[in-house]
Amino acid sequence: TTETIVAVDGPAAAGKTTTSRVLMAIFGLRYLESGRIYRIIAAEALRRNLPPDDIAAIEALCEELLSETGPNTALASPRHTPDSLRSPAVTGLVPGVARIPGVRTHATALIRQWAADQAAPCIIEGRDIGTAVFPAAPVKFYLNATPEVRAERRVGQESGLSYPAVLQDILRRDYQDTTRASAPLIPARDAIEIDTTDLTIQQVIHRMATAYRARR
Ligand code: C5P
């Protein structure tokens, strides 16, 4: 239920995944990376050559993916490996797919269903978890950092990435995610905002863990 949800939102490469995984381990939470759902829809659209502006076709694809396989298999999707879901082609297409209201309705229902199935406290990272998916979550974090620092971190994490290309991708995704009409990326009114630009990962985790203990 909503009382046991920790929402972790923010732009790409702000530290959401790294910190969420540590909180998961410390507090024994179930963890969901909700971007994975949007990436699976984009990857499948790419595989079938559906352009992101063919809204009807992409909404039909969502219905098919969810009805054919059910929420649990849709999340597991053996066809799409974590690496393939992070390819530049998929990453480039995701925000265009994620702005379609029908896609967000399906993804939101899937995330809520996943949380209901856990019967345990959950930590969920994404862009709109604290604002749209679980607006009543008792603990919400909004992580942010300058685009330059986020690009540097990404380049340091994965080999073979070029800084200018990563920075450009981050700026473009920030723009697309914050300006869409449906559930744009924005801090929830009651989110704890953490600017991670000048913090170490340990400092960010410490702040989050302290807030979690105080609020849960
Ligand atoms: O977190 P990740 O980088 O995997 O997210 C990929 C994209 O999926 C985001 O840039 C955004 O367009 C979309 N997304 C979203 N809402 C979420 C999670 C991800 O719109 N809750």
Side-chain angles (χ1 to χ4, degrees), residues 153-194:
R153 288 180 188 160
R154 231 340 98 82
V155 170
Q157 269 170 359
E158 276 170 63
S159 57
L161 296 178
S162 96
Y163 175 81
V166 171
L167 180 60
Q168 197 184 20
D169 169 67
I170 281 179
L171 290 172
R172 193 182 50 85
R173 279 211 283 157
D174 282 1
Y175 178 78
Q176 287 180 290
D177 288 342
T178 53
T179 58
R180 71 176 172 230
S182 178
L185 171 64
I186 186 176
R189 237 183 270 279
D190 53 347
I192 298 166
E193 292 188 52
I194 304 178

Side-chain angles (χ1 to χ4, degrees), residues 34-36 38-39 86 94-95 98 104 125-129 173 177 180:
S34 67
R36 183 177 164 76
Y38 292 94
R39 286 177 182 272
R86 302 231 151 249
V94 190
R104 303 207 69 80
E125 72 156 276
R127 300 291 186 288
D128 64 338
I129 306 305
R173 279 211 283 157
D177 288 342
R180 71 176 172 230

Side-chain angles (χ1 to χ4, degrees), residues 105-127:
T105 307
H106 281 288
T108 298
L110 190 54
I111 298 165
R112 288 180 180 150
Q113 186 57 52
W114 176 87
D117 288 345
Q118 302 308 305
C122 300
I123 185 161
I124 306 177
E125 72 156 276
R127 300 291 186 288

Side-chain angles (χ1 to χ4, degrees), residues 46-65:
L46 199 64
R47 202 177 69 86
R48 300 181 189 196
N49 273 317
L50 303 178
D53 55 1
D54 189 344
I55 291 174
I58 297 204
E59 287 182 348
L61 167 67
C62 285
E63 258 159 58
E64 184 198 324
L65 283 179

Side-chain angles (χ1 to χ4, degrees), residues 15 19 37 61 72 83 103 110-111 139-140 143 163 178 193 211:
T19 55
I37 297 167
L61 167 67
N72 291 326
D83 279 350
V103 169
L110 190 54
I111 298 165
V139 191
K140 299 177 184 177
L143 304 188
Y163 175 81
T178 53
E193 292 188 52

